[in-house]
Amino acid sequence: MSETQRVTDAPLLSVRDLRTVFHTEREDIHAVDGVSFDIYEGESVGLVGESGSGKSVTARSILGLVDEPGHIEDGEIQFRGDNLVEDGWDAHRGDISIVFQDPSNALNPVYTVGNQIREALSIHQDLSGAAAREEAVDLLETVGIPDADRRVEEYPHELSGGMQQRAVIAIALACDPDVLVCDEPTTALDVTIQAQILDLLDDLRREEGLALLFITHDMGVIEEATDRVNVIYAGEVVEHASTETLFENPKHPYTQALLKSIPGRTDPGQELPTIPGEVPTPTEPATDCRFAPRCPKAFDACTQVHPEPIDIEETETEHEAACLLYPDDRPRQEAVELHQSKTEDDR
Ligand code: SF4
């Protein structure tokens, strides 16, 4: 999808300054801390980060599935212009559907695949009886399950891992969604099956006009499957750009480190670089750069000033990085002051 096409359309899903906090007995965990991004119809967008970065909580927030003691404390999730945080999810249940990582957990072992698809069809499309069975068979064919008329009566354990994930996608499609959230959809699968599932999701995007949101730690999946990408760290989006731009010209030191740690990007025999340390648990609203303890480019101000998203002007398409090194065409102190004044304006 071209940038020009996107600017003329309204986003299908718009997440604005989303804040999801878990109030535990010991502390508050700011798991999602001011995340914003858009998804347009028929587009594939990635949310990438390490484990504990807040990407899965962002996905659950979008679906209205945040478990206690978590709450969406602030921000908007606009779907087709309705703010789900204010209005609730009831009017749009099924419009945003999810494919979880492990199909063997997502499927109920005591019901046939057909039963599970028919249940979703009954809730979301008011179909029952022979019509629901016929639609279930059609959906299994759509997701590439051969001999669908027979397999619709099979139990999950009778299917291979790849076929199970296809069945999970069929159940998600039975909700008749406009947006499919894919939470690590290929992590539990072996490499050849991973590629087949990504191809299937891409076909669905092209043929059915589905918008896809990939939640993943895997930069390989991002490169293969998305048009645009948001890099998330400790609850904040630290860089977003078109996928092509992000891979060619990453600006944030965290993105640069993630890209260096992709297998196949190092010379043969060279050890794969890893990012030392772990993602911190954000227990306070951010007043500094949360990546500073792990950042090879950190300087004094990084522990005192919160980096705000800065437009990377050298790139023609939308590209922002939240790092005190930018804008890099002005003296460092001036750049830091720009971030400070943006933080003050936001208060
Ligand atoms: S703000 Fe400082 S610590 Fe944070 S990513 Fe940029 S250089 Fe590194």
Side-chain angles (χ1 to χ4, degrees):
M1 176 173 296
S2 72
E3 291 278 320
T4 31
Q5 188 183 345
R6 283 202 290 103
V7 286
T8 56
D9 299 336
L12 183 61
L13 181 76
S14 180
V15 177
R16 284 284 155 268
D17 203 21
L18 181 67
R19 291 172 198 273
T20 304
V21 182
F22 288 78
H23 299 283
T24 69
E25 273 181 19
R26 267 193 320 154
E27 59 203 358
D28 290 346
I29 298 170
H30 298 253
V32 180
D33 202 12
V35 164
S36 300
F37 61 90
D38 295 324
I39 306 179
Y40 292 79
E41 229 162 276
E43 189 183 35
S44 176
V45 172
L47 194 57
V48 66
E50 292 165 280
S51 163
S53 60
K55 57 189 189 304
S56 288
V57 180
T58 303
R60 296 190 78 86
S61 302
I62 290 170
L63 285 142
L65 296 176
V66 178
D67 295 323
E68 290 283 340
H71 293 279
I72 296 178
E73 301 258 323
D74 207 354
E76 294 184 354
I77 300 168
Q78 296 268 357
F79 178 78
R80 293 201 183 280
D82 292 342
N83 182 5
L84 305 181
V85 176
E86 235 170 52
D87 305 341
W89 275 258
D90 286 353
H92 292 291
R93 285 269 173 229
D95 289 340
I96 308 171
S97 197
I98 186 160
V99 174
F100 287 110
Q101 173 175 345
D102 187 348
S104 59
N105 280 341
L107 293 167
N108 188 329
V110 301
Y111 292 107
T112 65
V113 167
N115 256 326
Q116 296 178 60
I117 299 175
R118 284 198 295 268
E119 189 189 354
L121 287 170
S122 153
I123 296 168
H124 296 284
Q125 298 196 47
D126 206 16
L127 283 179
S128 59
R133 188 186 190 283
E134 202 177 309
E135 181 63 18
V137 172
D138 277 358
L139 284 169
L140 289 183
E141 282 170 355
T142 301
V143 298
I145 294 190
D147 199 5
D149 195 50
R150 179 174 62 81
R151 295 220 118 137
V152 77
E153 306 301 347
E154 289 188 345
Y155 288 87
H157 74 268
E158 296 177 87
L159 303 178
S160 66
M163 287 296 161
Q164 285 181 353
Q165 192 59 308
R166 287 175 191 269
V168 170
I169 294 169
I171 294 169
L173 294 180
C175 304
D176 197 18
D178 294 323
V179 180
L180 195 58
V181 178
C182 307
D183 190 359
E184 305 275 10
T186 58
T187 304
L189 305 172
D190 72 42
V191 177
T192 42
I193 307 296
Q194 281 183 13
Q196 291 171 12
I197 295 294
L198 292 183
D199 284 349
L200 166 64
L201 290 167
D202 192 50
D203 288 346
L204 292 171
R205 181 176 70 83
R206 288 171 196 280
E207 286 160 22
E208 317 275 330
L210 262 183
L212 302 175
L213 174 62
F214 279 91
I215 307 290
T216 183
H217 69 284
D218 186 339
M219 287 303 256
V221 168
I222 292 291
E223 187 172 28
E224 170 80 26
T226 65
D227 304 315
R228 285 189 304 127
V229 57
N230 301 276
V231 180
I232 186 167
Y233 187 82
E236 300 180 285
V237 171
V238 295
E239 184 161 8
H240 88 95
S242 74
T243 306
E244 197 182 349
T245 299
L246 193 98
F247 276 75
E248 276 174 9
N249 192 16
K251 290 296 181 188
H252 196 283
Y254 179 56
T255 313
Q256 292 166 351
L258 280 181
L259 287 171
K260 277 194 196 131
S261 59
I262 300 180
R265 290 204 159 210
T266 44
D267 295 332
Q270 200 187 336
E271 207 177 309
L272 197 63
T274 53
I275 310 173
E278 285 177 2
V279 181
T281 302
T283 53
E284 301 285 341
T287 53
D288 57 1
C289 175
R290 288 179 172 150
F291 187 55
R294 306 171 76 189
C295 179
K297 297 181 179 170
F299 54 101
D300 286 352
C302 301
T303 56
Q304 293 148 25
V305 176
H306 181 241
E308 302 291 340
I310 296 291
D311 191 22
I312 304 295
E313 287 174 0
E314 68 196 69
T315 318
E316 274 178 25
T317 54
E318 209 176 78
H319 187 182
E320 285 185 331
C323 168
L324 301 183
L325 296 172
Y326 304 102
D328 57 358
D329 59 353
R330 58 177 83 179
R332 177 75 54 88
Q333 185 52 32
E334 231 180 79
V336 170
E337 282 165 11
L338 176 70
H339 287 266
Q340 279 173 315
S341 69
K342 274 175 155 258
T343 302
E344 274 158 27
D345 288 350
D346 285 350
R347 278 194 190 131

